[in-house]
């Protein structure tokens, strides 16, 4: 019975979030304080917190350091069957993309080498970036590019589309892509660079990219905030 | 520097997990005790635990109640562009599927109604199940079926494929599918039925299914353990 009741409060709170009622959510997307929410729903703080945790798990609200609970922005939608570039699919959804370069180096990375079918000590150009949607940091990513495919790449700027650069400057066709997506718990540098606690739920997207002649070009790994992205596929089949 | 060092230990431990060396992992997939691991890697318990947390976040190992750390079974791969039934894609990967029915009822569910374009108080057949791979519980799911599409459905057994049943007994073509996948933090009944702590990273897959005449048939929602599944899409494009 206790559980049924907390789910009842969760449902009521979820309904409130789906309206634009400013009695509940202020212009900054902030919810009233927990004490006030508990009063409005005529429930205890314990039950209220269960409901808030449920909605946080669903990605509908998030906590901001000591400033309380906020409604999470609408999730971006990503269709892996199209695999458009970040800037394109963010803009197509009426949102503002931005990319910040965190580091550029040359290094080996055995998982990238393995995915691309190269020897374990293969050297890569390694670019690490943080990406924003409407000025909220939503992902950090590492890109490992095979130097033979794009000699001199490290002299370029990386705060725009890498794929566009590879296509336009090195005439590479990014034809074969294997995309793998798993849920993860964000740890270490990934969590810190996204401003969340270690262990926070995240989404990991890895791509292995070969060119039109099946030569290895790039391996990349994105770590997303769990509430920022929805993977979406539409199927029309005739079975 | 402290972080670089814990990542170094993580890399060494990850390498060990990729071998089948019984000096490291026993027949049950259990790792040595933390104290012993710290000694073997000549590191502190604190650093070792950071490395273990990183590998847990990646889904490579998991903790089992008081019994220590275990290597996680290989992830199942799910290709949303094929969207085969659970029994089929589990068996195709040489694994053993099993389905347990948790509850069967009739109820309304506004999110299902909204997804299917029905009125909010639409009544559904609601089936809740837990599914296993090689006898490990990997997901819990709720299925909401439009009663008009499959009258008498609740008299059937649900420990096999629902889609097969709908196709064979009610002659339904499950033609149009919208599949949405998001990372989540498992909460409440979902976490408990999977035997993990509330807040554990999970993967949520929702499907909205219409028949060949675009009539709403079914809405379902799966909650997966985050280390049990990898979503995988292969693209061959000519750009």
């Amino acid at each position: 019975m206790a559980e049924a009741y907390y789910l009842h409060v969760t449902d009521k709170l979820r309904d409130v979030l789906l309206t634009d009622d400013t009695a509940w959510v202020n212009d900054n997307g902030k919810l009233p304080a927990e004490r006030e929410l508990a009063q409005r729903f005529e429930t205890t703080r314990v039950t209220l917190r269960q409901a808030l945790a449920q909605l946080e798990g669903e990605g509908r609200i998030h906590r901001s350091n000591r400033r309380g609970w906020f409604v999470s922005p609408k999730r971006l939608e990503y269709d892996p069957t199209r695999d458009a570039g970040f800037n394109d699919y963010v803009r197509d959804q009426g949102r503002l993309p931005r990319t910040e370069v965190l580091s550029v180096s040359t290094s080996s990375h055995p998982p990238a080498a393995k995915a691309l079918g190269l020897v374990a000590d293969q050297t890569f150009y390694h670019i690490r970036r943080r990406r924003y949607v409407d000025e909220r940091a939503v992902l950090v990513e590492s890109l490992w590019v095979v130097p033979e495919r794009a000699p001199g790449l490290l002299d370029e700027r990386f705060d725009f589309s890498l794929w566009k650069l590879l296509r336009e400057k090195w005439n590479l066709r990014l034809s074969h892509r294997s995309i793998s997506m798993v849920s993860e718990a964000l740890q270490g540098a990934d969590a810190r660079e996204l401003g969340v606690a270690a262990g926070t739920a995240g989404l990991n997207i890895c791509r292995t990219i070969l060119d039109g002649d099946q030569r290895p070009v790039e391996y990349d790994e994105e770590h997303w905030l769990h509430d920022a992205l929805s993977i979406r596929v539409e199927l029309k089949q005739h079975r």
Side-chain angles (χ1 to χ4, degrees), chain A:
Chain A
M1 281 308 289
E3 173 157 303
Y5 186 63
Y6 109 74
L7 287 175
H8 175 67
V9 173
T10 307
D11 287 344
K12 286 204 295 182
L13 188 48
R14 195 188 291 110
D15 285 346
V16 159
L17 297 177
L18 296 175
T19 68
D20 278 329
D21 189 343
T22 50
W24 287 98
V25 178
N26 78 9
D27 287 346
N28 297 320
K30 190 175 184 308
L31 287 174
E34 290 186 7
R35 185 175 29 86
E36 192 183 333
L37 282 173
Q39 280 171 2
R40 290 209 206 175
F41 286 116
E42 298 178 329
T43 187
T44 63
R45 289 287 281 274
V46 171
T47 299
L48 177 78
R49 281 185 179 149
Q50 288 178 303
L52 290 167
Q54 174 69 35
L55 295 170
E56 184 184 28
E58 293 173 11
R60 293 176 196 277
I61 59 175
H62 63 276
R63 235 177 305 216
S64 192
N65 293 339
R66 296 164 194 247
R67 295 190 299 127
W69 288 96
F70 290 80
V71 177
S72 292
K74 190 170 162 17
R75 288 177 195 272
L76 271 181
E77 292 191 352
Y78 165 67
D79 181 349
T81 66
R82 296 187 58 235
D83 199 29
F86 176 80
N87 293 294
D88 290 335
Y89 70 77
V90 173
R91 282 206 196 90
D92 284 351
Q93 291 171 57
R95 315 282 286 270
L96 181 71
R98 183 166 73 85
T99 300
E100 178 188 6
V101 180
L102 299 176
S103 68
V104 173
S105 63
T106 300
S107 67
S108 64
H109 186 60
K114 190 176 176 198
L116 290 165
L118 299 167
V119 293
D121 62 354
Q122 165 76 38
T123 296
F124 294 97
Y125 295 149
H126 178 205
I127 300 146
R128 193 163 166 83
R129 314 194 286 195
R130 178 161 43 202
R131 298 190 120 169
Y132 298 77
V133 172
D134 298 335
E135 288 307 314
R136 179 188 187 207
V138 294
L139 75 100
V140 289
E141 64 172 357
S142 274
L143 307 129
W144 290 273
V145 181
V146 179
E148 291 80 356
R149 291 294 98 71
L153 178 70
L154 294 197
D155 296 332
E156 301 291 329
R157 290 188 57 173
F158 300 110
D159 44 359
F160 299 100
S161 169
L162 175 73
W163 293 351
K164 193 160 179 263
L165 195 60
L166 293 174
R167 279 194 297 258
E168 294 184 354
K169 183 138 184 176
W170 282 273
N171 200 25
L172 287 165
R173 286 194 297 138
L174 310 174
S175 304
H176 295 75
R177 307 181 193 199
S178 172
I179 306 166
S180 143
M181 293 154 278
V182 302
S183 280
E184 65 179 346
L186 295 165
Q187 302 290 345
D190 301 323
R192 204 172 44 251
E193 286 166 2
L194 289 170
V196 297
T200 298
L203 180 71
N204 174 309
I205 304 183
C206 288
R207 292 182 192 77
T208 305
I209 302 183
L210 311 182
D211 71 6
D213 301 321
Q214 305 251 30
R215 293 180 307 176
V217 175
E218 189 235 18
Y219 175 82
D220 64 66
E221 191 166 326
E222 299 173 348
H223 300 275
W224 286 78
L225 289 182
H226 89 283
D227 65 358
L229 193 74
S230 170
I231 302 164
R232 204 170 177 98
V233 173
E234 301 286 332
L235 290 187
K236 287 185 177 54
Q237 290 171 317
H238 301 282
R239 308 194 164 198

